[in-house]
């Protein structure tokens, strides 16, 4: 269904690393959405008529789910906690593209919900709404926020196979695979699959990830909902606490630096990923194996993130 994504060399912090270009997998299901939603694209879901999702109004997954729903002819309801006035007045990026695909975006704050819902996490609120407000349960597919569900493993397993095949061809003996985490779904399943698929253990592979949302403990908690502890990836950090979506000069500068390689990275996860990777490499300067950074796509979101950065910190050349 998807071609094998290419691996490209790039110079980072004066050392070669390799970028697994999952962003090139598909224009609509770029990066980890292609992996996470592969299951729904490859299996028979003819009985489904209604898709329900949730997350932020600018999420990459909103756009990919809207394409999935459009392709399959499903109704698509997507719940958000809040839509900013700016996006409502200037729809762009993932939000505008999803609406163009027919997504029905519902602001939970505007619904008349019982008080008990006020303190609940969006995913849990949506679970309750699905249970009470939708009659068509047999034809309904609910994908939790960020595609955090067991179905994601089917496609991430293919990513693991591609990485192992690449490493074997290169005769790599030691490999560190780095990818920034949101829900941790991609990193957790990738590590599990790399460990399970490499039965002869002839390549020493370690998956490194960092938190971009909620800190290391929160990420570990997310892993525990998906995989057994033996499959938890290594969480690394650079001592900074990152607030998801917060615009910082450090992130903006790192994004500008890595984009000079000629590869466009995205602005929410990748700047944090590269800042943490930089710190890790400084701490492990003697390490001589290969490093693969997984580009998880999402550059459509730059259409809205970049103008926000430019308004705050000025234009890059
Ligand atoms: C570009 C990009 N990078 C990283 C992530 C984090 O992925 P996960 O939620 O599987 O940790 C996402 C979210 O899906 C993403 O869109």
């Amino acid at each position: 269904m998807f071609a094998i994504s290419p691996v490209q060399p790039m110079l980072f912090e004066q050392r070669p690393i390799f970028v697994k270009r999952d962003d090139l997998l598909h224009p609509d299901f770029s990066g980890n959405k292609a992996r996470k939603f592969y299951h729904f694209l490859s299996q028979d879901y003819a009985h489904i008529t209604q898709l329900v999702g949730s997350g932020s109004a600018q999420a990459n997954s909103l756009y990919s789910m809207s394409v999935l729903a459009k392709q399959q002819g499903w109704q698509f309801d997507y719940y958000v906690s809040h839509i900013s006035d700016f996006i409502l007045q200037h729809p762009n990026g993932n939000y505008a593209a999803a609406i163009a695909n027919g997504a029905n975006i519902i602001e939970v704050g505007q619904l008349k919900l019982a008080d008990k819902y006020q303190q609940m996490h969006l995913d849990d609120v949506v679970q309750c709404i699905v249970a009470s407000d939708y009659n068509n349960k047999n034809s309904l597919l609910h994908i939790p926020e960020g595609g955090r569900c067991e179905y994601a493993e089917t496609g991430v397993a293919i990513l693991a196979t591609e990485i192992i095949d690449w490493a074997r061809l290169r005769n790599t003996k030691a490999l560190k695979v780095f990818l920034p985490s949101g829900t941790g779904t991609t990193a957790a399943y990738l590590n599990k699959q790399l460990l399970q698929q490499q039965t002869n253990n002839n390549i020493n592979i370690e998956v490194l990830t960092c938190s971009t949302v909620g800190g290391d403990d929160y990420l570990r908690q997310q892993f525990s909902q998906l995989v057994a502890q033996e499959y938890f990836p290594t969480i690394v950090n650079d001592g900074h606490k990152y607030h998801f979506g917060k615009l910082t000069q450090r992130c903006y500068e790192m994004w500008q630096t890595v984009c000079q390689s000629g590869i466009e990275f995205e602005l929410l996860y990748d700047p944090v990923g590269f800042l943490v990777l930089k710190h890790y490499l400084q701490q492990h300067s003697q390490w001589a194996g290969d490093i693969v950074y997984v580009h998880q796509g999402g550059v459509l979101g730059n259409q809205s993130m970049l103008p926000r950065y430019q308004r705050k910190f000025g234009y890059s050349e």
Side-chain angles (χ1 to χ4, degrees):
M1 179 170 307
F2 298 116
I4 294 171
S5 68
V7 177
Q8 284 179 351
M10 163 182 159
L11 209 59
F12 180 66
E13 290 296 301
Q14 287 90 47
R15 69 161 287 163
I17 65 166
F18 295 92
V19 182
K20 176 73 173 156
R21 299 289 310 270
D22 266 15
D23 55 312
L24 301 179
L25 279 172
H26 191 282
D28 295 323
F29 298 102
S30 90
N32 67 7
K33 303 304 168 294
R35 306 297 187 183
K36 285 177 173 176
F37 297 159
Y38 176 81
H39 185 87
F40 304 114
L41 293 161
S42 60
Q43 310 280 316
D44 183 8
Y45 276 83
H47 59 290
I48 297 299
T49 57
Q50 171 81 61
L51 176 65
V52 175
S54 58
S56 98
Q58 281 294 9
N60 303 318
S61 54
L62 161 60
Y63 172 65
S64 293
M65 277 194 257
S66 76
V67 176
L68 178 65
K70 189 176 170 192
Q71 267 187 9
Q72 312 280 338
W74 300 338
Q75 298 284 328
F76 176 37
D77 288 349
Y78 183 86
Y79 291 86
V80 299
S81 301
H82 175 69
I83 308 178
S84 74
D85 289 341
F86 185 83
I87 300 179
L88 287 172
Q89 281 154 23
H90 308 92
N92 62 9
N94 291 317
Y95 176 80
I99 289 182
N101 283 336
N104 178 26
I105 301 179
I106 303 161
E107 205 175 339
V108 170
Q110 301 292 322
L111 301 174
K112 290 202 171 32
L113 295 174
D115 286 348
K116 65 172 179 179
Y117 292 124
Q118 305 303 329
Q119 303 306 320
M120 280 166 60
H121 188 270
L122 178 64
D123 245 359
D124 299 327
V125 175
V126 175
Q127 196 117 38
C128 295
I129 295 174
V130 165
S132 61
D133 292 10
Y134 289 84
N135 297 322
N136 49 341
K137 302 280 188 303
N138 293 333
S139 53
L140 181 146
L141 175 65
H142 175 201
I143 302 182
E145 186 167 357
R148 185 171 55 84
C149 53
E150 72 276 15
Y151 300 115
E153 191 168 358
T154 316
V156 175
I158 300 172
L159 170 61
T161 309
E162 290 179 20
I163 291 173
I164 291 173
D165 288 349
W166 174 86
R168 285 206 181 116
L169 264 179
R170 258 185 74 75
N171 218 0
T172 300
K173 293 283 169 275
L175 175 66
K176 295 199 192 277
V177 180
F178 190 101
L179 69 170
S181 279
T183 64
T185 309
T186 316
Y189 286 138
L190 181 60
N191 193 40
K192 178 180 168 194
Q193 285 295 327
L194 286 170
L195 288 171
Q196 286 190 344
Q197 289 183 32
Q198 248 226 111
T199 39
N200 52 5
N201 277 332
N202 57 356
I203 312 170
N204 182 347
I205 304 184
E206 184 178 16
V207 173
L208 305 171
T209 190
C210 63
S211 169
T212 59
V213 187
D216 295 0
D217 287 342
Y218 173 76
L219 184 56
R220 223 166 276 118
Q221 202 183 315
Q222 298 278 95
F223 290 157
S224 66
Q225 292 177 18
L226 298 163
V227 296
Q229 195 158 358
E230 63 190 293
Y231 297 127
F232 285 14
T234 306
I235 301 175
V236 288
N237 67 55
D238 65 355
H240 277 80
K241 188 151 175 56
Y242 293 99
H243 298 275
F244 190 68
K246 185 162 180 221
L247 311 186
T248 66
Q249 184 89 43
R250 299 174 71 237
C251 284
Y252 191 32
E253 282 171 7
M254 179 49 85
W255 180 79
Q256 288 169 333
T257 303
V258 289
C259 287
Q260 279 166 11
S261 67
I263 301 173
E264 182 182 2
F265 289 92
E266 67 82 60
L267 270 158
L268 279 169
Y269 300 88
D270 286 329
V272 179
F274 279 110
L275 282 165
V276 174
L277 178 59
K278 175 179 170 178
H279 179 80
Y280 182 86
L281 293 177
Q282 284 165 352
Q283 305 278 304
H284 298 81
S285 52
Q286 301 305 316
W287 196 76
D290 285 338
I291 294 171
V292 167
Y293 183 95
V294 183
H295 190 322
Q296 299 178 85
V299 291
L300 183 62
N302 290 357
Q303 280 181 20
S304 56
M305 279 302 282
L306 188 56
R308 288 180 61 204
Y309 264 113
Q310 289 168 336
R311 280 194 296 276
K312 185 156 180 181
F313 298 115
Y315 289 78
S316 56
E317 62 291 347

